[in-house]
């Protein structure tokens, strides 16, 4: 399959070259040694610069403008094999999009472990800190179609393929550590409920509609997940600023065969940040590719995103020592109970060369594991083990998708699997079965000492039964823990998100059922949502709380537990306690017009660049702008092409003429006003303050930084203000519970933990 080079002796004439792109110039970026996956992908790369146009059969094409006709005004001829080849290929360019996670963005990178992990696992890629294991990561939204907006309120997929020397290991996770359901048999239901409704295919990429909340209102096990997806976790500022989680409990197994339970985490070094909901909706119109672009640009700029891999390890003997079941995917292990050990770092440093070939064709599978890692009996995990391989058969058109360059392992593949659509491998020889003598028994089974995979020999002594373990029945304690662990600002966002989502639900009884469920999590929360909906919390429900009761079943076996466990709070669950560096790689818009004050632009720019931020000028017109002392700057955007929602902070450059030209455009006051409403840092120097006044902004707000003289001091203040990410004091307090502490220190009150009635 490797690309033929244009060096055929009988075609010595080369096409004119107009600057061939150095194919692979970005290859090996960041690597000291050769990256084995990059080398592997290179075998399939094609580069047209300097080459002649050919058919798929390699025939050089002389006329790519006209089809073959009977006379220049006559009908096209069936004989035209070039026309037919081109159109036929075009007709079949599309493959089915993913059933879920259709909208995604990918990047290449590498992973390095900090210390040998041999105490816990024999996995080869977790032993040697000097080894860089290549990775390909795909981030995604879940609900929407391939062309939908990045900024939907949604869970984000966080799927990592490690190309290890022992074969591929896929950690197919999300940015939220729990899931809606406990058993795989409910997955088609929850997905059907959240996807656009089948009769009119509306709404796109949104959970705010009747079928989703109908299902959720009948599925109390979803309440913990609902708290997370209604929080700001579901509207991240960037893929680079969100956590990742393996969700299920897995196993690590060491050389001696000792197993331990493990939960996987990804911790972003840039901290956790979100946008606000109004901003998210506006970005969806202004730049639906916002997250995709952000990831792409960061990597192109050399701002390589990084995450530390964390593990929570639980000894087997402690399996049953928690208030929840380790096999229940609607539960986390609070970090305060089992700390997260950071064991290595992943760096993304290369954008894909071709979206379809890599990001679209990549096929993740939870079942891709390596010796030293194994599964547990989590019933969601067990169902996923079937689904991923199965779905790829249709999506990628047959059983050979592991041969697609982005999917193939860097470890050699030898087995007796044969044939099928699009087979690339040319298996040589007579033998395609095992055992055999004709090939000396090859390929051999590998002993455990030769990295042969063996499943963990878990003891199982059970009845075959369709039942859910009673240890899975507590659906509200962790939902309450999550809610109680949020700052007032974050709780306020959850209230507003629920008011929005349920406000879009047209069927009143569904809203009421949701209020009854929310009341099991926290009465104040339910009351505030009810107020927004103009409803009261129902005291009695017509239907049982949990609808998973089979006609002939014992309802008690399916009901959520009546008493909640007080799990207290877990401060690490608040994004505001994970701010990290809120300046590095952040985008600041400089509002500027002709006649600007040169120093107020240059010195502020310097202060921001030094702190690691990015600066972009937004002006009344494109082209160049002249400063009052002769400085010339390029306008990166005009007020028409840019919008404040695409930036993290706004600075109004000084200079009377500049401000006057900005004030002639309505968009300039809208720009700062919207940034203010979204709680962003705003700065203005000298005459720039006039623009803030014209927009009606207060200048004594903590996140509004103004100054007349020394721009260096103003710059330092501006950077400090940006470090807070947002200035939440500006938000309406109508739905808030009280003060707005950044750090959490709550105790749970009796009233907020009322049991199910
Ligand atoms: Fe998935 N999921 N899922 N999922 N999932 C898919 O596989 C499925 C679940 C996740 O970027 C599909 O290739 C079932 C949890 C990610 O290509 C499909 C169940 C978590 C991606 C599928 C779950 C995930 C997928 C669709 C319940 C977080 C995108 C296309 C039993 C731990 C991977 C495909 C990418 C994709 C099935 C639940 C993560 C249909 C049956 C929980 C990140 O096979």
């Amino acid at each position: 399959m490797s690309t033929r080079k244009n060096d055929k002796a009988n075609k010595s004439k080369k096409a004119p070259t107009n600057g061939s792109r150095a194919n692979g110039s970005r290859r090996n970026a960041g690597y000291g040694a050769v990256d084995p996956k990059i080398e592997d992908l290179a075998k399939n790369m094609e580069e047209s610069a300097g080459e002649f146009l050919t058919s798929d059969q390699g025939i050089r094409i002389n006329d790519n403008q006209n089809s073959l006709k009977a006379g220049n005004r006559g009908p096209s001829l069936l004989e035209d094999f070039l026309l037919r080849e081109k159109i036929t290929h075009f007709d079949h360019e599309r493959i089915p999009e993913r059933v879920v996670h259709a909208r995604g963005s990918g990047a290449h990178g590498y992973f390095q472990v900090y210390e040998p992990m041999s105490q816990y696992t024999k996995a080869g890629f977790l032993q040697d800190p000097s080894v860089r294991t290549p990775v390909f990561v795909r981030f995604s939204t879940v609900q929407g179609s391939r062309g939908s907006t990045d900024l939907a309120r949604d869970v984000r997929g966080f799927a990592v393929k490690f190309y290890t020397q022992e074969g591929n290991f896929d950690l197919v996770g999300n940015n939220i550590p729990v899931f809606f359901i406990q058993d795989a048999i409910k997955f088609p239901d929850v997905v059907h409920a959240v996807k656009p409704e089948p009769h009119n295919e509306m709404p796109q990429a949104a959970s705010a509609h009747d079928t989703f909340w109908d299902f959720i209102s009948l599925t109390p096990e979803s309440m913990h997940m609902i708290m997370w997806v209604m929080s700001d976790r579901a509207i991240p500022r960037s893929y680079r600023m969100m956590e990742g989680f393996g969700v299920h409990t897995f196993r690590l197994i060491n050389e001696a065969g000792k197993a331990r339970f493990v939960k996987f985490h990804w911790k972003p070094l840039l901290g956790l940040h979100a946008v606000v909901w109004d901003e998210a909706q506006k970005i969806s119109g202004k730049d639906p590719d916002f997250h995709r672009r952000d990831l792409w640009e960061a990597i192109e700029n050399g701002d390589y995103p990084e995450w530390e891999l964390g593990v929570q390890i639980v000894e087997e003997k402690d399996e049953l020592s928690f208030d929840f079941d380790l096999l229940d995917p609607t539960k986390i292990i609070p970090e305060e109970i089992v700390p997260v050990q950071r064991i290595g770092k992943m760096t993304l440093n290369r954008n894909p060369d071709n979206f379809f070939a890599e990001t679209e064709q990549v096929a993740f599978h939870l079942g891709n594991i390596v010796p030293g890692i194994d599964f547990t009996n989590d019933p969601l995990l067990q169902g996923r083990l079937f689904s991923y391989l199965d779905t790829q058969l249709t999506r990628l058109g047959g059983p050979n998708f592991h041969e697609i360059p982005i999917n193939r392992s860097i470890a050699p593949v030898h087995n007796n699997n044969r044939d099928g659509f699009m087979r690339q491998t040319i298996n040589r020889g007579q033998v395609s079965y095992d055992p055999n003598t004709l090939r000396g028994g090859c390929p051999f089974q590998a002993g455990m000492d030769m990295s042969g995979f063996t499943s963990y020999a878990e003891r199982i002594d059970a009845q075959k039964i369709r039942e859910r373990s009673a240890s899975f029945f507590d659906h509200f304690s962790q939902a309450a823990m999550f809610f109680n662990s949020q700052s007032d600002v974050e709780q306020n966002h959850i209230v507003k998100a629920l008011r929005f989502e349920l406000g879009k639900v047209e069927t009143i009884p569904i809203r009421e059922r949701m209020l009854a469920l929310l009341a099991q999590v926290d009465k104040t929360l339910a009351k505030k949502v009810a107020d927004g909906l103009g409803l009261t919390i129902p005291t009695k429900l017509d239907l049982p709380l949990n609808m998973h009761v089979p006609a002939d079943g014992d309802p008690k076996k399916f009901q959520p537990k009546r008493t909640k466990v007080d799990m207290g709070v877990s401060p690490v669950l608040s994004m505001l306690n994970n701010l990290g560096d809120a300046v590095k790689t952040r985008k600041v818009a400089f509002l500027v017009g002709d006649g600007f004050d040169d120093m107020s632009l240059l010195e502020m720019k310097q202060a921001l660049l030094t702190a690691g931020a990015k600066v972009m000028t937004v002006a009344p017109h494109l082209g160049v702008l002249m400063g009052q002392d002769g400085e010339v700057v390029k306008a990166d955007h005009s007020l028409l092409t840019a919008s404040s929602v695409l930036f993290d902070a706004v600075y109004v450059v000084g200079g009377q003429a500049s401000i006057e030209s900005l004030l002639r455009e309505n968009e300039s006051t809208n720009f700062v006003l919207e940034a203010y409403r979204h709680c962003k840092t705003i700065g203005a120097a000298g005459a720039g303050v006039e623009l803030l006044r014209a927009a009606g902004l207060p200048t004594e707000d903590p996140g509004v930084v103004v100054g007349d003289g020394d721009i260096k001091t103003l710059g330092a203040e501006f950077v400090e203000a940006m470090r807070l990410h947002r200035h939440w004091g500006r938000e309406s307090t109508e739905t808030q519970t009280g003060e707005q502490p950044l750090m959490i220190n709550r105790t749970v009150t009796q009233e907020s933990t009322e049991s199910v009635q």
Side-chain angles (χ1 to χ4, degrees):
M1 266 290 284
S2 50
T3 319
R4 278 185 294 161
K5 285 282 151 222
N6 193 359
D7 57 0
K8 299 172 219 159
N10 60 345
K11 289 183 177 178
S12 53
K13 252 186 147 183
K14 301 277 279 180
T17 313
N18 43 5
S20 77
R21 178 190 152 208
N23 186 23
S25 61
R26 284 182 293 127
R27 285 201 251 141
N28 286 339
Y31 292 88
V34 172
D35 177 87
K37 188 59 196 173
I38 293 175
E39 289 302 298
D40 177 53
L41 290 173
K43 294 178 202 155
N44 290 75
M45 284 182 185
E46 187 270 347
E47 177 54 70
S48 296
E51 305 288 347
F52 284 111
L53 181 71
T54 74
S55 73
D56 280 343
Q57 306 303 318
I59 295 163
R60 287 184 183 171
I61 293 172
N62 166 262
D63 184 346
N64 191 34
Q65 319 306 323
N66 300 294
S67 54
L68 192 66
K69 300 179 199 78
N72 61 10
R73 297 185 62 249
S76 299
L77 300 179
L78 186 61
E79 178 193 318
D80 191 347
F81 64 102
L82 293 174
L83 171 72
R84 277 189 287 117
E85 181 194 83
K86 188 171 174 182
I87 300 269
T88 304
H89 200 281
F90 171 76
D91 290 347
H92 299 273
E93 277 177 3
R94 292 287 170 272
I95 62 171
E97 66 174 39
R98 288 165 174 79
V99 188
V100 280
H101 297 268
R103 168 88 186 162
S105 306
H108 293 272
Y110 61 90
F111 172 79
Q112 263 178 305
V113 71
Y114 290 148
E115 302 286 340
M117 293 299 291
S118 51
Q119 184 192 351
Y120 299 115
T121 176
K122 60 185 174 188
F125 78 106
L126 294 176
Q127 305 308 326
D128 185 349
S130 71
V131 170
R132 287 181 166 191
T133 300
V135 298
F136 186 76
V137 177
R138 185 173 179 274
F139 301 109
S140 48
T141 56
V142 176
Q143 302 156 174
S145 300
R146 252 192 74 180
S148 59
T149 172
D150 283 344
L151 265 290
R153 173 175 293 284
D154 201 352
V155 196
R156 298 300 185 286
F158 193 132
V160 183
K161 192 180 280 293
F162 296 79
Y163 302 95
T164 89
Q165 298 292 342
E166 295 174 301
N168 289 349
F169 167 52
D170 291 358
L171 186 51
V172 198
N174 279 344
N175 77 329
I176 288 180
V178 288
F179 203 62
F180 294 101
I181 47 166
Q182 295 173 321
D183 191 309
I185 203 163
K186 299 308 299 166
F187 190 65
D189 295 302
V190 66
V191 172
H192 286 172
V194 76
K195 281 270 180 183
E197 297 188 6
H199 58 318
N200 56 15
E201 217 191 22
M202 292 192 280
Q204 179 58 245
S207 51
H209 58 109
D210 283 45
T211 57
F212 178 66
W213 289 102
D214 186 24
F215 176 84
I216 294 298
S217 74
L218 299 167
T219 310
E221 72 205 52
S222 66
M223 287 317 292
H224 188 194
M225 178 71 169
I226 287 298
M227 290 297 112
W228 285 79
V229 285
M230 292 300 114
S231 81
D232 294 347
R233 300 267 181 163
I235 40 172
R237 158 65 180 81
S238 159
Y239 288 139
R240 303 177 291 129
M241 298 167 201
M242 62 184 202
E243 288 180 297
F245 303 91
V247 175
H248 315 284
T249 303
F250 290 83
R251 280 193 168 89
L252 290 181
I253 294 142
N254 67 14
E255 204 65 62
K258 182 170 169 51
R260 294 176 176 87
F261 294 106
V262 64
K263 290 259 193 203
F264 292 109
H265 297 244
W266 290 111
K267 301 275 189 186
L269 294 194
L270 286 175
L272 304 187
H273 303 281
V275 297
V276 297
W277 179 230
D278 179 64
E279 196 185 357
Q281 293 173 86
K282 287 174 175 154
I283 295 173
S284 291
K286 298 277 181 185
D287 185 6
D289 304 309
F290 186 74
H291 285 151
R292 179 176 286 184
R293 192 183 310 284
D294 169 274
L295 181 66
W296 180 275
E297 287 180 352
I299 293 175
E300 289 297 302
N301 290 338
D303 294 322
Y304 300 143
E306 296 172 313
W307 286 261
E308 286 184 308
L309 179 64
V311 289
Q312 284 177 297
I313 292 177
V314 175
E315 296 293 334
E316 276 205 316
K317 66 176 173 46
D318 297 329
E319 177 179 3
L320 304 176
S321 64
F322 300 97
D323 288 325
F324 50 89
D325 197 323
L326 286 183
L327 303 184
D328 174 356
T330 66
K331 305 294 186 296
I332 58 168
I333 310 178
E335 290 187 31
E336 289 74 13
I337 301 179
V338 180
V340 174
Q341 304 175 40
R342 298 179 182 223
I343 65 164
K345 194 172 76 176
M346 176 171 76
T347 308
L348 299 183
N349 64 352
R350 197 170 72 88
N351 279 316
D353 284 291
N354 183 287
F355 184 90
F356 179 83
E358 301 174 82
T359 310
E360 192 59 15
Q361 291 202 108
V362 68
F364 292 95
H365 176 28
L366 196 75
N368 293 348
I369 48 166
V370 287
I373 301 176
D374 212 333
F375 313 117
T376 61
N377 299 331
D378 172 342
L380 199 67
L381 181 160
Q382 294 283 322
R384 293 179 71 201
L385 287 175
F386 167 73
S387 180
Y388 289 71
L389 199 59
D390 181 54
T391 201
Q392 316 300 356
L393 293 176
T394 308
R395 191 170 72 83
L396 297 167
N400 289 314
F401 58 85
H402 62 282
E403 294 183 333
I404 296 173
I406 193 68
N407 293 325
R408 73 186 165 215
S409 134
I410 57 167
V413 174
H414 298 286
N415 59 38
N416 294 312
N417 294 341
R418 289 290 185 274
D419 311 345
F421 283 113
M422 304 295 163
R423 183 69 171 176
Q424 312 284 306
T425 309
I426 304 170
N427 299 102
R428 301 179 69 196
Q430 180 185 13
V431 173
S432 55
Y433 53 89
D434 169 66
N436 69 69
T437 57
L438 292 177
R439 199 172 227 172
C442 293
F444 296 114
Q445 296 180 156
M448 280 170 75
D449 55 341
M450 301 300 288
S451 285
F453 183 87
T454 49
S455 289
Y456 176 64
E458 183 185 353
R459 187 177 174 76
I460 293 182
D461 176 16
Q463 279 178 311
K464 187 158 66 179
I465 190 164
R466 279 191 196 275
E467 198 177 276
R468 208 161 294 187
S469 167
S471 57
F472 280 37
F473 281 8
D474 176 0
H475 303 321
F476 302 115
S477 302
Q478 289 212 353
M481 176 182 72
F482 180 81
F483 185 70
N484 290 322
S485 300
Q486 306 303 303
S487 63
D488 282 357
V489 171
E490 291 164 304
Q491 288 191 345
N492 182 36
H493 291 175
I494 294 174
V495 170
K496 281 189 170 168
L498 283 161
R499 283 182 175 184
F500 176 92
E501 296 268 322
L502 297 174
K504 296 270 186 175
V505 168
E506 287 168 11
T507 313
I508 304 299
I510 295 177
R511 292 183 184 168
E512 287 174 339
R513 287 183 65 82
M514 273 315 302
L515 292 175
L517 270 187
L518 291 173
Q520 308 309 323
V521 179
D522 189 279
K523 279 198 87 173
T524 324
L525 163 69
K527 172 79 170 66
K528 284 172 186 286
V529 177
D531 289 349
L533 298 174
L535 293 172
T536 49
I537 305 167
T539 47
K540 193 172 171 306
L541 292 172
D542 298 338
L543 293 167
L545 191 60
N546 192 340
M547 280 291 283
H548 297 156
V549 190
D552 55 353
D554 172 4
K556 282 202 204 80
K557 283 208 306 205
F558 296 87
Q559 288 295 332
K561 260 197 188 147
R562 283 176 174 267
T563 44
K564 281 197 299 186
V565 180
D566 178 0
M567 298 207 60
V569 295
S570 172
V572 77
L573 296 180
S574 160
M575 289 177 78
L576 293 188
N577 289 335
N578 292 281
L579 277 185
D581 187 338
V583 180
K584 212 171 154 197
T585 76
R586 295 308 194 84
K587 285 185 173 173
V588 182
F590 274 29
L591 288 188
V592 58
D594 285 307
F596 62 87
D597 172 354
D598 302 39
M599 292 322 283
S600 98
L601 185 144
L602 294 174
E603 289 191 348
M604 181 59 90
K605 185 172 177 180
Q606 192 50 47
L608 285 164
L609 295 185
T610 308
K614 307 275 170 208
V615 168
M616 264 149 200
T617 50
V618 180
H621 61 81
L622 291 173
V624 289
L625 303 160
M626 290 288 288
Q628 60 195 21
D629 294 323
E631 187 67 29
V632 177
V633 295
K634 181 175 150 273
D636 297 311
H637 300 281
S638 77
L639 284 163
L640 282 181
T641 62
S643 162
S644 80
V645 294
L646 307 177
F647 298 90
D648 295 287
V650 182
Y651 171 63
V652 189
V653 179
Q656 197 58 44
S658 167
I659 296 308
E660 280 166 17
S661 74
L662 283 166
L663 280 173
R664 283 194 285 274
E665 311 288 332
N666 283 337
E667 285 85 1
S668 62
T669 43
N670 285 345
F671 203 99
V672 287
L673 189 60
E674 197 169 51
Y676 182 83
R677 289 202 175 129
H678 296 149
C679 305
K680 294 174 183 174
T681 298
I682 295 171
V689 179
E690 282 176 35
L691 184 66
L692 305 193
R693 287 210 187 95
L697 300 192
T699 46
E700 59 294 337
D701 182 286
V704 178
V705 185
V706 293
D708 223 349
D710 179 10
I711 304 292
K712 280 206 178 77
T713 311
L714 189 68
E717 286 173 17
F718 191 83
V719 169
E720 279 320 299
M722 275 186 73
R723 289 199 192 289
L724 294 175
H725 176 58
R726 297 290 165 100
H727 304 279
W728 298 117
R730 292 179 205 157
E731 280 194 341
S732 97
T733 50
E734 181 205 349
T735 47
Q736 269 166 26
T737 45
E739 293 302 300
Q740 300 166 20
L742 288 187
M743 304 300 289
I744 310 301
N745 183 16
R746 285 177 191 283
T747 45
V748 183
T749 62
Q750 196 54 44
E751 202 201 349
S752 66
T753 60
E754 196 155 290
S755 63
V756 179
Q757 297 306 307

